[in-house]
Amino acid sequence: MSVVALIGAQWGDEGKGHLVDLLASKARLVVRYGGGNNAGHTVVNHLGTFKLHLIPSGIFDPSTVNVIGSGVVISPEGLLQELDDLKSRGINTSKLFISERAHVIMPYHIMFDRFQEDARGDDKIGTTGRGIGPAYADKMNRSGIRMADLLHEETLLNRLRSVLEEKNRLLTKLYGAKPLSLHDTYLRYLDFGHKLADHITDTHPIIMRALEKDMPILLEGAQGCLLDVDYGTYPYVTSSPPGAAGACQGAGIGPTRVDSVIGVYKAYTTRVGQGPFPTELADGPDADALRQIGKPWAEVGTTTGRLRRVGWFDAVMARYAAQVNGIDTLAITKLDVLDELANIKICVGYKLHDATLEYPPATTAVLDQVEPVYEEMPGWMSPTSDVRRFQDLPEAAQAYVARICQLVGARLGIISVGPDREQTIIASEVF
Ligand code: IMP
């Protein structure tokens, strides 16, 4: 395998962090292809525990080249903080390259994100407040500022002058906020450009060279397929395509070059922010068991610290995500979280009035009405965190994993049974 896309296949937070760290250690090039610092990847390895938001997880291996691709929206401030943090902990960041084509999250994007959420009242999306939606909207509207612009004084000033005029009208007239100063914003972002100049480049030749040499390349996903702006639970989605098509687009690698798409699924389901969640559990012992409060896998957002909503594995959504993204391999994470449950449910269908649906409906209004149809499986009631081979898992755990693979329609690749890089079961080699 040369090019592997690793994508979140639920509503994000599937535990991708430690899988990308594991696979990144085997890849020669890691490309983060989409999203922004709305993402939070927790990586636990021999160097410590790290929380990454923008920097690819290949950064811990000094020989791996890491690229922040064109499809990412970048908070320069957040990125500099992450870089400083890593450097202060002795991590070599010299092989990090940032696409000149990637868009910049500007202060007005963050302000609009928050004002728009406030204006939605009870219909909030529950965004991370990082300015992601407004930044992608400007990119599509052709009024974005790109990383390359931060390196060219005149271009930056001209772009800012034309963009800020409109943004300030909106800020003052629509939201009653103070306008942003052209002079201060210009100087601040020029300074960010200076500080990041060694990393900003045209990343296309780097990626092409790696492809020509058949190097193992990992396309690192953020968020999840059910948050996809086209195929997710719109409008309760993020503003980018986090799936396999987004991986190609955001990295600048054509679909014919991708050898495998690994879908990362938690062994159950979680969601942060608003939006439909058919298998969500009301508070109770099962929900508490899945939340893991106070434990290393606690269901608390890495970026926002919000408590995640929890529920049973939803095979209808999972299969749909696999279909839309061509997922051929499954990575099932956090299996150990289910260790103490006597019975485990899987949603195998949706009932809507008298019909059973094979696919999730396209609108949230209908999705809100579906009743999950559950299949119940016995739990294994024994610890799995130290298991390293599939055949050593308790039989009931093997049966649960096999049933998920069957329902989703893809082969098993990896299972994780704890947050550490070593706590993984490799069922089929990836690179
Ligand atoms: P935004 O991406 O900040 O605009 O947020 C839109 C929706 O996507 C909200 O429901 C967020 O909670 C969700 N979201 C964005 N990034 C992540 C992530 O990395 N993990 C989980 N949910 C996310």
Side-chain angles (χ1 to χ4, degrees), residues 265 313 315 318-319 322-323 327 330 403-410:
Y265 294 89
F313 189 86
R319 183 171 51 237
Q323 289 165 342
I327 290 171
L330 258 79
R403 183 68 178 132
I404 287 179
C405 293
Q406 184 189 39
L407 287 165
V408 173

Side-chain angles (χ1 to χ4, degrees), residues 11-13 38-40 125-129 132-133 223 227 237-238 272-273 306:
W11 279 289
D13 306 321
N38 47 350
I125 291 168
T127 72
T128 58
I132 305 296
Q223 288 84 45
L227 290 171
V237 293
T238 190
V272 270
R306 291 181 289 180

Side-chain angles (χ1 to χ4, degrees), residues 140-151:
M140 292 307 176
N141 200 26
R142 292 149 297 178
S143 47
I145 289 175
R146 305 199 297 175
M147 292 306 284
D149 301 335
L150 303 187
L151 302 181

